[in-house]
């Protein structure tokens, strides 16, 4: 894995080829003008965030968001995790 992340991912920058079933589906990403190279830790947090969102787990999503920063001097971690959990209910 090269740890490259598309930094402008929205429906207008994604195509699904083979959605008709004739070919195996392939996701095509467009407009690679904004990309970021993630560290291993950032990559794990980003993939964890996507998984948490897909699973509907707000607390896990909050933990992944907080993992992007080494320091959160003013962060109320428990409150943030609780509120994120409530958003996903």
């Amino acid at each position: 894995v090269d740890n490259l992340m598309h930094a402008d991912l929205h429906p207008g920058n994604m195509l699904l080829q083979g959605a008709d079933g004739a070919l195996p589906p392939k996701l095509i990403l467009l407009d690679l003008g904004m990309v970021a190279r993630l560290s291993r830790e950032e990559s794990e947090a980003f993939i964890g965030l996507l998984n948490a969102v897909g699973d509907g787990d707000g607390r896990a999503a909050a933990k992944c968001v907080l993992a992007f920063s080494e320091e959160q001097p003013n962060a109320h971690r428990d409150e943030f995790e609780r509120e994120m959990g409530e958003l996903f209910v």
Side-chain angles (χ1 to χ4, degrees):
V1 176
D2 58 19
N3 290 334
L4 270 174
M5 178 191 78
H6 192 299
D8 188 24
L9 200 55
H10 57 78
N13 283 342
M14 295 184 283
L15 298 175
L16 184 60
Q17 183 181 49
D20 58 2
L23 297 171
K26 183 188 293 186
L27 179 64
I28 300 169
L29 302 179
L30 306 173
D31 187 8
L32 297 171
M34 289 187 359
V35 296
R37 185 171 302 277
L38 304 177
S39 69
R40 183 179 55 79
E41 293 83 11
E42 291 168 332
S43 182
E44 289 172 0
F46 184 67
I47 291 169
L49 175 61
L50 295 176
N51 285 329
V53 169
D55 292 341
D57 187 344
R59 287 187 176 269
K63 289 178 183 177
C64 292
V65 168
L66 291 171
F68 277 104
S69 177
E70 292 179 13
E71 292 184 36
Q72 298 99 21
N74 298 315
H76 301 278
R77 296 178 72 90
D78 294 337
E79 184 176 343
F80 180 65
E81 289 178 21
R82 181 185 53 74
E83 289 180 3
M84 285 285 287
E86 291 174 2
L87 285 174
F88 282 69
V89 173

